[in-house]
Amino acid sequence: EGMLGLPGDKWAPYSSAREYDDVEGRLNGDYGGVGLWLGTKDGDGGRDGRGRVLVASVQPGTAAARAGVRAGDVITEVAGSSVAGWDVGRVAKALRGRLGEAVELTVERGRRTRRFHLVRTPVPEEDVTVTDLADDARLIRVDAFTRGTGRRVRAAVSGESPPGRPGGVVLDLRGNPGGLLEEAVE
């Protein structure tokens, strides 16, 4: 940990076995939580220059979506503890826990404070959703680049439109926090 921490290279951090398993679970799309992808609000002065943690996107059908948490909400407390100076990883870890257990989330939305009581559930592992629109157009939404995303997007795009119909594909990446580079390239 000390050796890798010296250069200050954020791309070469040390991870404990538990932290590694946690990251692997998220990248495999196999984890429990409240259904939030997090990001930072750069430049607004979090302790240690980290910025404030905000909701990058909300996965449909999750506890957070049902409660009304929105992308852009700035997280101020988790389980009654202020998150001032916390990085994204620490906030995410606080939101995850045993399935069925509740966690309190407090956010700022504009100038208002909102509190949510969220129960941790298995988070849907499908990060690609496909909706057929009018005129044979297809909407493909990618919520994160987890393992298998590239294959699922290719399968959705390969569907053919009937002859003489306009067709088309809309690729929706709004709120996508990223993930595995090889899946994004695929």
Side-chain angles (χ1 to χ4, degrees):
E1 184 174 0
M3 181 180 74
L4 291 174
L6 284 176
D9 183 353
K10 69 179 182 177
W11 302 111
Y14 169 80
S15 298
S16 68
R18 183 175 181 185
E19 291 167 330
Y20 178 79
D21 288 343
D22 182 55
V23 169
E24 278 295 297
R26 284 182 283 136
L27 292 176
N28 285 323
D30 180 26
Y31 62 97
V34 297
L36 298 177
W37 285 100
L38 306 177
T40 58
K41 187 170 185 176
D42 295 326
D44 77 346
R47 198 171 61 197
D48 301 324
R50 291 179 176 152
R52 297 174 72 190
V53 177
L54 59 81
V55 175
S57 66
V58 181
Q59 291 182 288
T62 61
R66 288 189 299 274
V69 180
R70 295 184 192 163
D73 286 349
V74 177
I75 298 175
T76 58
E77 291 182 11
V78 175
S81 297
S82 171
V83 300
W86 290 16
D87 63 12
V88 171
R90 186 171 175 190
V91 173
K93 186 176 180 180
L95 288 170
R96 288 189 299 272
R98 290 181 186 253
L99 297 178
E101 285 186 353
V103 62
E104 300 297 323
L105 174 69
T106 305
V107 302
E108 287 179 2
R109 183 179 298 160
R111 295 177 187 252
R112 298 189 70 192
T113 298
R114 297 183 182 261
R115 288 181 175 77
F116 299 97
H117 178 82
L118 306 173
V119 177
R120 296 173 177 116
T121 60
V123 175
E125 55 183 75
E126 189 58 54
D127 288 319
V128 177
T129 54
V130 179
T131 307
D132 288 323
L133 306 172
D135 294 325
D136 297 312
R138 182 166 283 168
L139 171 66
I140 303 171
R141 177 165 171 74
V142 180
D143 291 322
F145 293 108
T146 55
R147 284 191 179 80
T149 295
R151 177 181 39 79
R152 290 190 293 274
V153 169
R154 279 189 184 278
V157 170
S158 66
E160 295 184 20
S161 297
R165 304 291 298 272
V169 173
V170 176
L171 184 60
D172 184 356
L173 301 175
R174 292 175 296 170
N176 183 317
L180 296 169
L181 177 62
E182 64 267 17
E183 293 296 338
V185 170
E186 176 70 16

